[in-house]
Amino acid sequence: MRVVIAGGHGKIAKLLERELAGRGDTAVGLIRNPEHEAALRAAGAQPLVCDLEHTDVDTLAAHLAGADAVVFAAGAGPGSGADRKDTVDRCAAVLLADAAVRAGVRRYLLVSSMGVDDPPAAGTDAVWAAYLRAKKAAEDEVTARDLDVTVLRPSRLTDDEPAGRITLARHVDAGAVSRADVARVLLALLYAPGTAGRTVELVGGDTPIAEAVGALAG
């Protein structure tokens, strides 16, 4: 399987790249900073410099040629303002979807966030509110495309070692989940096409990942 990952230098992305490489799959990581190429190669991925905030759909579609799936794991990151929450967390996700349609890549995994169903509460930090709105808008716009989309909404992320056990459902109680387990769930979803069309939340739990994803696929 050839998988193109937007936000290829992110923590979850690099963990997913290692998982894919360990299976003998090809991971292609989209990055905007050429200085990150070595880190991606160390993770077993092929780096591809492409700034999603400064490219067009035709250029991006050419980069997706021959891919079996795309994963949107990009984000504006800590320290970014409200404007970049929109240009990265929403616009770049939608651009990737449009490029996937043009390139004929149907499978799309979107890493979103818990807490986006309801509008931000009064008094919410302005940047965090912009992030939540951008994630929800990305979900709405990406799932409106003619693609086989699975939206994964992790809970609070940690850098703990993978537990291999999760709770995965349309709605779950707030909690935490390791980035390593998120990466393993993404890998399982890539191999479970029956999960297309689903939006699910993810926390640590008691169910083995393979079992939880298999139940989701039905």
Side-chain angles (χ1 to χ4, degrees):
M1 181 181 291
R2 182 179 180 85
V3 182
V4 178
I5 304 168
H9 189 254
K11 290 183 178 181
I12 290 173
K14 284 188 290 186
L15 290 163
L16 176 58
E17 288 156 6
R18 291 186 184 277
E19 295 285 343
L20 287 163
R23 290 185 58 102
D25 294 321
T26 299
V28 179
L30 300 180
I31 53 176
R32 63 187 180 89
N33 187 347
E35 294 181 1
H36 294 158
E37 290 184 6
L40 264 69
R41 292 193 183 96
Q46 298 177 3
L48 198 163
V49 178
C50 178
D51 187 343
L52 295 177
E53 292 179 276
H54 298 95
T55 192
D56 58 71
V57 67
D58 290 325
T59 300
L60 183 54
H63 292 322
L64 303 185
D68 297 292
V70 298
V71 178
F72 187 84
S80 58
D83 289 346
R84 291 201 68 229
K85 300 304 183 189
D86 186 67
T87 59
V88 178
D89 292 274
R90 181 186 69 83
C91 294
V94 175
L95 178 66
L96 183 66
D98 289 338
V101 170
R102 190 158 301 187
V105 182
R106 293 203 55 83
R107 191 72 170 110
Y108 187 122
L109 302 188
L110 175 63
V111 180
S112 186
S113 174
M114 284 182 62
V116 302
D117 276 328
D118 299 318
T124 300
D125 173 78
V127 174
W128 179 248
Y131 169 80
L132 294 175
R133 286 193 293 267
K135 285 296 188 187
K136 184 60 169 70
E139 290 186 7
D140 292 344
E141 294 185 55
V142 169
T143 56
R145 269 56 178 178
D146 183 21
L147 293 168
D148 298 328
V149 181
T150 303
V151 178
L152 182 65
R153 296 174 172 176
S155 57
R156 180 175 56 83
L157 298 169
T158 74
D159 290 321
D160 295 341
E161 291 297 313
R165 293 179 175 271
I166 59 169
T167 298
L168 185 69
R170 181 63 184 88
H171 294 292
V172 300
D173 292 334
V177 64
S178 72
R179 289 177 173 87
D181 279 325
V182 175
R184 292 183 177 185
V185 170
L186 289 169
L187 179 68
L189 290 171
L190 286 168
Y191 278 90
T195 61
R198 305 294 296 272
T199 295
V200 289
E201 297 179 346
L202 169 65
V203 295
D206 299 321
T207 306
I209 289 173
E211 182 180 331
V213 173
L216 183 67

